[in-house]
Short mmCIF file of all heavy atoms in Angstrom, two decimals:
data_model
loop_
_atom_site.label_atom_id
_atom_site.label_comp_id
_atom_site.label_asym_id
_atom_site.label_seq_id
_atom_site.Cartn_x
_atom_site.Cartn_y
_atom_site.Cartn_z
N THR A 190 19.53 7.49 9.45
CA THR A 190 19.82 6.25 8.72
C THR A 190 18.51 5.49 8.47
O THR A 190 17.73 5.28 9.39
CB THR A 190 20.77 5.35 9.56
OG1 THR A 190 21.98 6.07 9.83
CG2 THR A 190 21.11 4.09 8.77
N LEU A 191 18.32 5.09 7.23
CA LEU A 191 17.25 4.20 6.87
C LEU A 191 17.84 2.83 6.60
O LEU A 191 18.92 2.73 6.02
CB LEU A 191 16.53 4.67 5.61
CG LEU A 191 15.97 6.12 5.57
CD1 LEU A 191 15.26 6.36 4.24
CD2 LEU A 191 15.07 6.41 6.75
N ALA A 192 17.15 1.78 7.02
CA ALA A 192 17.67 0.41 6.81
C ALA A 192 16.51 -0.50 6.52
O ALA A 192 15.40 -0.37 7.04
CB ALA A 192 18.44 -0.07 8.06
N ARG A 193 16.79 -1.53 5.71
CA ARG A 193 15.78 -2.53 5.35
C ARG A 193 16.37 -3.93 5.51
O ARG A 193 17.59 -4.15 5.32
CB ARG A 193 15.34 -2.31 3.88
CG ARG A 193 14.13 -3.11 3.48
CD ARG A 193 13.72 -2.82 2.08
NE ARG A 193 12.58 -3.61 1.66
CZ ARG A 193 12.22 -3.82 0.41
NH1 ARG A 193 12.89 -3.26 -0.59
NH2 ARG A 193 11.17 -4.59 0.11
N ASP A 194 15.56 -4.90 5.88
CA ASP A 194 16.03 -6.23 6.17
C ASP A 194 16.64 -6.90 4.94
O ASP A 194 16.53 -6.45 3.83
CB ASP A 194 14.89 -7.10 6.76
CG ASP A 194 13.74 -7.28 5.79
OD1 ASP A 194 13.94 -7.81 4.67
OD2 ASP A 194 12.57 -6.96 6.15
N ARG A 195 17.27 -8.07 5.16
CA ARG A 195 18.12 -8.68 4.18
C ARG A 195 17.38 -9.14 2.93
O ARG A 195 17.94 -9.05 1.81
CB ARG A 195 18.85 -9.85 4.78
CG ARG A 195 19.83 -9.49 5.91
CD ARG A 195 20.31 -10.71 6.63
NE ARG A 195 21.25 -10.45 7.70
CZ ARG A 195 20.89 -10.17 8.98
NH1 ARG A 195 19.59 -10.11 9.29
NH2 ARG A 195 21.83 -9.96 9.90
N LEU A 196 16.18 -9.68 3.06
CA LEU A 196 15.47 -10.26 1.90
C LEU A 196 14.38 -9.35 1.37
O LEU A 196 13.77 -9.68 0.32
CB LEU A 196 14.87 -11.62 2.28
CG LEU A 196 15.78 -12.85 2.23
CD1 LEU A 196 16.46 -13.02 0.86
CD2 LEU A 196 16.82 -12.86 3.32
N GLY A 197 14.06 -8.24 2.06
CA GLY A 197 13.04 -7.35 1.57
C GLY A 197 11.66 -7.73 2.06
O GLY A 197 10.66 -7.44 1.35
N GLU A 198 11.56 -8.25 3.27
CA GLU A 198 10.26 -8.63 3.82
C GLU A 198 9.42 -7.43 4.15
O GLU A 198 8.21 -7.44 4.00
CB GLU A 198 10.43 -9.55 5.04
CG GLU A 198 11.12 -10.87 4.73
CD GLU A 198 11.50 -11.63 5.98
OE1 GLU A 198 10.59 -11.83 6.84
OE2 GLU A 198 12.67 -12.02 6.10
N LYS A 199 10.05 -6.40 4.68
CA LYS A 199 9.36 -5.15 5.02
C LYS A 199 9.74 -4.02 4.04
O LYS A 199 10.93 -3.89 3.71
CB LYS A 199 9.68 -4.73 6.45
CG LYS A 199 8.96 -5.58 7.50
CD LYS A 199 7.45 -5.47 7.38
CE LYS A 199 6.70 -6.48 8.18
NZ LYS A 199 5.23 -6.40 7.94
N PRO A 200 8.79 -3.26 3.60
CA PRO A 200 9.06 -2.24 2.55
C PRO A 200 9.51 -0.89 3.15
O PRO A 200 9.18 -0.57 4.28
CB PRO A 200 7.69 -2.11 1.89
CG PRO A 200 6.71 -2.35 3.00
CD PRO A 200 7.36 -3.39 3.92
N LEU A 201 10.18 -0.11 2.33
CA LEU A 201 10.56 1.22 2.72
C LEU A 201 10.75 2.07 1.44
O LEU A 201 11.58 1.76 0.60
CB LEU A 201 11.86 1.22 3.53
CG LEU A 201 12.28 2.56 4.17
CD1 LEU A 201 11.15 3.17 5.00
CD2 LEU A 201 13.53 2.38 5.05
N TYR A 202 9.94 3.10 1.34
CA TYR A 202 9.94 4.01 0.20
C TYR A 202 10.52 5.36 0.62
O TYR A 202 10.30 5.79 1.77
CB TYR A 202 8.54 4.22 -0.35
CG TYR A 202 7.87 2.99 -0.90
CD1 TYR A 202 7.23 2.10 -0.03
CD2 TYR A 202 7.91 2.71 -2.27
CE1 TYR A 202 6.61 0.93 -0.56
CE2 TYR A 202 7.30 1.56 -2.77
CZ TYR A 202 6.66 0.69 -1.92
OH TYR A 202 6.04 -0.43 -2.42
N TYR A 203 11.18 6.05 -0.30
CA TYR A 203 11.69 7.37 0.05
C TYR A 203 11.78 8.26 -1.18
O TYR A 203 11.83 7.79 -2.34
CB TYR A 203 13.06 7.26 0.72
CG TYR A 203 14.18 6.76 -0.15
CD1 TYR A 203 15.05 7.62 -0.80
CD2 TYR A 203 14.37 5.40 -0.33
CE1 TYR A 203 16.07 7.17 -1.61
CE2 TYR A 203 15.41 4.92 -1.15
CZ TYR A 203 16.26 5.81 -1.77
OH TYR A 203 17.27 5.34 -2.57
N ALA A 204 11.78 9.57 -0.93
CA ALA A 204 11.87 10.56 -2.01
C ALA A 204 12.27 11.89 -1.42
O ALA A 204 12.16 12.11 -0.19
CB ALA A 204 10.51 10.69 -2.74
N THR A 205 12.71 12.77 -2.26
CA THR A 205 13.06 14.16 -1.83
C THR A 205 12.05 15.12 -2.40
O THR A 205 11.76 15.10 -3.60
CB THR A 205 14.47 14.54 -2.34
OG1 THR A 205 15.42 13.55 -1.86
CG2 THR A 205 14.88 15.91 -1.80
N SER A 206 11.48 15.97 -1.53
CA SER A 206 10.52 16.94 -1.96
C SER A 206 11.17 18.11 -2.67
O SER A 206 12.41 18.28 -2.65
CB SER A 206 9.71 17.46 -0.76
OG SER A 206 10.56 18.22 0.09
N ALA A 207 10.38 18.94 -3.30
CA ALA A 207 10.93 20.07 -4.09
C ALA A 207 11.69 21.03 -3.18
O ALA A 207 12.65 21.70 -3.65
CB ALA A 207 9.79 20.81 -4.77
N ASP A 208 11.33 21.11 -1.90
CA ASP A 208 12.03 22.05 -1.01
C ASP A 208 13.14 21.35 -0.22
O ASP A 208 13.65 21.88 0.78
CB ASP A 208 11.07 22.76 -0.06
CG ASP A 208 10.23 21.80 0.76
OD1 ASP A 208 10.37 20.55 0.56
OD2 ASP A 208 9.43 22.26 1.58
N GLY A 209 13.51 20.12 -0.67
CA GLY A 209 14.69 19.48 -0.12
C GLY A 209 14.51 18.59 1.08
O GLY A 209 15.49 18.09 1.63
N PHE A 210 13.28 18.31 1.48
CA PHE A 210 13.05 17.38 2.57
C PHE A 210 13.10 15.93 2.07
O PHE A 210 12.59 15.64 1.00
CB PHE A 210 11.69 17.63 3.23
CG PHE A 210 11.69 18.72 4.24
CD1 PHE A 210 11.27 20.00 3.89
CD2 PHE A 210 12.12 18.49 5.54
CE1 PHE A 210 11.28 21.03 4.83
CE2 PHE A 210 12.10 19.51 6.50
CZ PHE A 210 11.68 20.79 6.14
N LEU A 211 13.70 15.07 2.86
CA LEU A 211 13.61 13.61 2.59
C LEU A 211 12.36 13.10 3.23
O LEU A 211 12.17 13.26 4.47
CB LEU A 211 14.84 12.88 3.15
CG LEU A 211 14.78 11.37 2.98
CD1 LEU A 211 15.04 10.98 1.52
CD2 LEU A 211 15.77 10.66 3.89
N LEU A 212 11.51 12.45 2.47
CA LEU A 212 10.30 11.84 2.96
C LEU A 212 10.47 10.31 2.83
O LEU A 212 11.02 9.80 1.84
CB LEU A 212 9.07 12.27 2.19
CG LEU A 212 8.59 13.70 2.44
CD1 LEU A 212 9.39 14.68 1.62
CD2 LEU A 212 7.10 13.84 2.04
N PHE A 213 10.00 9.55 3.82
CA PHE A 213 10.04 8.08 3.76
C PHE A 213 8.83 7.51 4.44
O PHE A 213 8.25 8.11 5.35
CB PHE A 213 11.33 7.57 4.34
CG PHE A 213 11.60 7.98 5.76
CD1 PHE A 213 11.12 7.25 6.83
CD2 PHE A 213 12.33 9.13 6.01
CE1 PHE A 213 11.33 7.65 8.15
CE2 PHE A 213 12.56 9.55 7.33
CZ PHE A 213 12.06 8.82 8.38
#
C-alpha cells in the first residue's frame, strides 16, 4: 500500500517498469 497525506505536503511518485515491477 502506498499512501500520501491529505494536502500533499510530502511527495510520492510511482511507475511500472517494462518488466512489470512497480517502482516508487
Side-chain angles (χ1 to χ4, degrees):
T190 302
L191 306 183
R193 191 176 178 199
D194 63 58
R195 295 170 179 87
L196 278 305
E198 296 171 53
K199 286 298 171 184
L201 188 53
Y202 297 84
Y203 66 97
T205 304
S206 67
D208 56 358
F210 277 97
L211 177 74
L212 288 80
F213 55 89

